């Protein structure tokens, strides 16, 4: 059999147009995104809604543990219209000066920090995300909002006010003391404040009595 004979036999393959694969269909799955949306809804972080004047696309960010963090791409929707909160984040000198004289250091990482802060009803209307499961509003302060770092930092400074040798950098807390006893006392005060304010930390990411700060 010649090449020409083979081509003639299977000339249908070369007919103009787009073919269609038989018996096999492609399937797209987004289990991690859907899993995270379900988790956020179960924990009351987001709520489904039917319609909104705002609808921000989501940006799933992969995490080291294989899960995803769902953020809204607010830079194309809300942020340009937002009056940005003004509250200075701590500089390096702001961090190290209050901690001078510390012998050992403990670092506490708050679990998905911003999401631990509720937002008022009016703000929820701005925090709508558009997903494959429909529209959801954030009931908590989401990542991606331009004012979020300032709002959160101000709140944490209020929560930790007057606790010596303690500094907050967004979701990370650094605690020390001139002696081990003072260190433990300050650590206990920080955890007591967190408990009073309903905050939760990620024990797996916390480190206690380190020789130096990792910043």
């Amino acid at each position: 059999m010649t090449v020409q004979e083979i081509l003639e036999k299977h000339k249908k393959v070369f007919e103009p147009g787009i073919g269609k694969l038989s018996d096999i269909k492609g399937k797209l799955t987004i289990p991690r995104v859907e899993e995270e949306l379900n988790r956020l809804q179960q924990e009351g972080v987001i709520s489904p809604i039917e319609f909104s004047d705002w609808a921000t696309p989501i940006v799933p960010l992969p995490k080291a543990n294989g899960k995803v963090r769902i953020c809204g791409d607010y830079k194309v929707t809300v942020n340009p219209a937002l009056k940005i909160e003004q509250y200075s984040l701590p500089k390096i000198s702001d961090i190290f000066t209050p901690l001078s004289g510390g012998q050992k250091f403990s670092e506490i990482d708050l679990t998905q920090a911003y999401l631990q802060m509720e937002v008022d009803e009016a703000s929820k209307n701005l925090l709508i995300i558009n997903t494959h499961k429909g529209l959801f509003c954030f009931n908590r302060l989401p990542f991606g909002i331009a004012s979020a770092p300032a709002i959160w930092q101000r709140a944490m400074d209020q929560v930790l006010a007057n606790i010596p040798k303690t500094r907050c950098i967004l979701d990370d807390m650094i605690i020390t003391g001139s002696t081990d006893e003072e260190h433990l006392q300050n650590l206990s005060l920080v955890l007591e404040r967190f408990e009073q304010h309903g905050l939760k930390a990620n024990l797996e990411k916390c480190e206690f009595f380190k020789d130096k700060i990792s910043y």
Side-chain angles (χ1 to χ4, degrees):
M1 184 177 290
T2 66
V3 170
Q4 190 60 40
E5 289 173 330
I6 293 174
L7 293 178
E8 179 63 26
K9 181 179 180 180
H10 301 288
K11 62 182 180 182
K12 187 175 181 180
V13 174
F14 300 97
E15 291 176 352
I18 298 175
K20 184 174 71 173
L21 179 64
S22 61
D23 303 325
I24 305 174
K25 293 185 177 181
K27 182 179 180 181
L28 302 178
T29 58
I30 44 178
R32 293 176 182 173
V33 171
E34 185 152 346
E35 179 183 343
E36 180 65 3
L37 287 171
N38 290 338
R39 186 189 71 82
L40 292 173
Q41 187 174 351
Q42 289 171 3
E43 295 195 9
V45 174
I46 61 175
S47 299
I49 62 171
E50 294 185 0
F51 59 89
S52 173
D53 292 333
W54 298 87
T56 296
I58 62 170
V59 181
L61 302 177
K63 299 170 68 174
N65 60 8
K67 297 183 179 181
V68 297
R69 171 179 291 169
I70 293 179
C71 302
D73 190 11
Y74 293 108
K75 69 177 180 293
V76 300
T77 55
V78 175
N79 284 346
L82 197 64
K83 179 180 179 181
I84 308 299
E85 288 286 331
Q86 301 298 320
Y87 190 83
S88 298
L89 299 181
K91 300 176 182 177
I92 294 297
S93 59
D94 297 328
I95 298 171
F96 286 100
T97 300
L99 303 177
S100 62
Q103 300 301 308
K104 301 284 185 178
F105 302 88
S106 292
E107 296 180 16
I108 297 179
D109 179 85
L110 290 179
T111 306
Q112 293 187 293
Y114 298 172
L115 296 184
Q116 299 197 43
M117 175 181 278
E118 293 183 306
V119 295
D120 61 23
E121 290 299 322
S123 297
K124 291 180 184 180
N125 296 327
L126 303 175
L127 304 178
I128 310 303
I129 53 174
N130 189 9
T131 79
H132 70 288
K133 295 186 66 177
L135 298 175
F136 291 86
C137 75
F138 267 96
N139 303 313
R140 310 285 184 88
L141 184 66
F143 296 90
I145 286 292
S147 290
I151 292 172
W152 177 260
Q153 185 69 42
R154 180 191 290 116
M156 289 303 96
D157 287 347
Q158 293 172 0
V159 167
L160 299 174
N162 302 320
I163 299 181
K165 294 194 179 301
T166 299
R167 289 298 291 161
C168 162
I169 307 94
L170 296 176
D171 57 348
D172 291 323
M173 315 295 150
I174 303 175
I175 304 103
T176 189
S178 300
T179 64
D180 287 353
E181 182 180 2
E182 184 185 15
H183 185 165
L184 288 171
Q185 183 178 8
N186 293 339
L187 178 61
S188 180
L189 287 172
V190 169
L191 296 178
E192 183 178 330
R193 294 279 180 89
F194 287 169
E195 191 170 352
Q196 290 173 351
H197 289 273
L199 296 171
K200 292 186 178 181
N202 186 346
L203 186 58
E204 294 181 356
K205 291 186 177 181
C206 295
E207 298 184 77
F208 303 98
F209 275 72
K210 297 168 56 180
D211 290 326
K212 61 181 181 179
I213 305 173
S214 59
Y215 284 87

